[in-house]
Amino acid sequence: MHEQRSTHPADTTTPVDPTAPMTRPQQAPFRRTVWRRVLSALAAAGIGVAGFAGPAHGSGVGGATTTSEHSATGSVPPAAAADFPTWGTRWAVHATADTGSPAVGMINKTAPGQDRITADYQVDTGRKVCEGSSCSTFMAHLTGPVSGFLSVVAVDIPQDRLPGVPVQGGGGQPQPQPGGSREEMLQRAATWLTANNGGQVPYSQAKVWKDGYRQDCSGYVSMALGLPTPGTNTVGLATDRGITRPVALGELKPGDLLIDASGDNNTRHVVIFEKWNNDAHSSYTAYEQRGDHGTDHRTLTYGLPGGDAEFKPYRPVKFGD
């Protein structure tokens, strides 16, 4: 099987380790509502949230490393990294605020909620990451226990962002533009080869990975292109002229696509062209998400003479050529 006929809801993801499901403590709706109202009231009163020791699932929100006290001169001391509890297991910490960037570490590797994190700023990526009913577009910049970026979904708080932690973007930390160039697209495609604790992301038409994309071929390509989660299906990748346009086989460049959009969800497929393997163009190397295997990087002949003629070449229009 190659791809999902219909889109999958964007508010669920698959844990990194399906044998160790995440279990988030339940919080009564009124408590979440009251806490949000308290935060709003504090903000309106000009009281720093970081200095309010309100509970979040039984834990202090701001931690002992933050303060709202003023110095004798009346100035506010620089904010230290705030401390927060986490939940679940095996959360990936990324090199950048892009969830498709390489993993540089892991939170709660062996037990749910075993690690507390410290963060000095957060980035609103505009890209929603969900786990169950919890969603956030924010990535926290961690200073411990691992340095890198972690989705705020992993933090055991009722908010979708870290209270009391500054939001950085634009001038300070540039917002990521996933898949903005051919090189970036191929780099993103390669991340799924090792995203599953060093192994490839497993194939599924029904599940979505932790970054919010379906684990089938078209969800994988959508991830590499930086399209909205959970991903466009194969027919959409071939027919939506806001995404791709047809090109000649001999014009293929790294990051172009070969798509079989005919048939049904058991026959349609899409792969990402990387390079020709020889001057005769008798085969090429490509990235793909394939059934009974998962993410792969291998030699293919789809669309070539003697290969599967149903595959046609397409170019993502975002590359501008």
Side-chain angles (χ1 to χ4, degrees):
M1 294 186 293
H2 292 304
E3 62 101 12
Q4 173 72 305
R5 183 193 302 271
S6 60
T7 57
H8 190 284
D11 60 352
T12 57
T13 58
T14 302
V16 174
D17 183 359
T19 64
M22 300 180 191
T23 303
R24 183 164 191 162
Q26 296 297 312
Q27 181 174 344
F30 84 90
R31 183 178 178 185
R32 182 184 296 267
T33 301
V34 169
W35 177 236
R36 290 184 184 275
R37 288 176 178 172
V38 169
L39 291 175
S40 299
L42 288 172
I47 300 174
V49 175
F52 181 73
H57 300 306
S59 303
V61 174
T65 57
T66 60
T67 178
S68 61
E69 294 180 354
H70 291 247
S71 67
T73 61
S75 61
V76 179
D83 175 80
F84 297 92
T86 59
W87 68 282
T89 57
R90 308 180 74 80
W91 292 98
V93 177
H94 296 275
T96 72
D98 178 4
T99 55
S101 65
V104 294
M106 185 175 290
I107 296 297
N108 300 345
K109 187 172 185 180
T110 59
Q114 73 181 100
D115 295 323
R116 293 182 69 88
I117 57 99
T118 53
D120 55 358
Y121 68 87
Q122 56 192 325
V123 177
D124 187 356
T125 67
R127 297 171 59 80
K128 185 182 292 185
V129 174
C130 297
E131 184 65 50
S133 61
S134 300
C135 297
S136 177
T137 60
F138 286 81
M139 294 288 284
H141 179 254
L142 306 191
T143 58
V146 181
S147 295
F149 289 85
L150 175 71
S151 172
V152 171
V153 171
V155 184
D156 196 8
I157 56 174
Q159 299 84 20
D160 63 355
R161 66 198 68 189
L162 301 180
V165 175
V167 176
Q168 195 174 104
Q173 190 81 3
Q175 296 285 348
Q177 298 295 324
S181 69
R182 295 179 181 276
E183 181 180 11
E184 290 168 354
M185 179 189 178
L186 294 176
Q187 288 174 348
R188 285 172 61 83
T191 62
W192 272 27
L193 290 169
T194 56
N196 187 20
N197 198 26
Q200 73 267 28
V201 173
Y203 179 90
S204 174
Q205 293 188 11
K207 297 178 180 179
V208 294
W209 191 240
K210 199 169 185 63
D211 55 12
Y213 289 96
R214 277 192 330 275
Q215 294 171 217
D216 59 16
C217 63
S218 54
Y220 172 61
V221 171
S222 296
M223 178 278 296
L225 282 171
L227 299 177
T229 57
T232 303
N233 64 18
T234 302
V235 173
L237 290 173
T239 60
D240 188 337
R241 291 297 163 260
I243 300 176
T244 65
R245 65 178 180 86
V247 293
L249 191 63
E251 297 176 357
L252 282 171
K253 296 180 180 180
D256 287 343
L257 308 177
L258 288 113
I259 305 176
D260 175 1
S262 61
D264 58 25
N265 63 309
N266 292 317
T267 61
R268 296 190 292 255
H269 195 42
V270 54
V271 302
I272 302 171
F273 178 88
E274 182 191 24
K275 62 181 180 180
W276 293 108
N277 293 334
N278 52 52
D279 292 339
H281 291 186
S282 60
S283 69
Y284 56 87
T285 301
Y287 291 94
E288 66 174 333
Q289 182 76 358
R290 59 188 178 96
D292 300 323
H293 180 83
T295 316
D296 208 351
H297 183 219
R298 60 175 182 155
T299 294
L300 295 173
T301 59
Y302 298 154
L304 303 184
D308 191 332
E310 297 294 332
F311 282 81
K312 307 299 181 185
Y314 294 85
R315 175 158 299 161
V317 297
K318 70 186 306 174
F319 297 146
D321 58 357

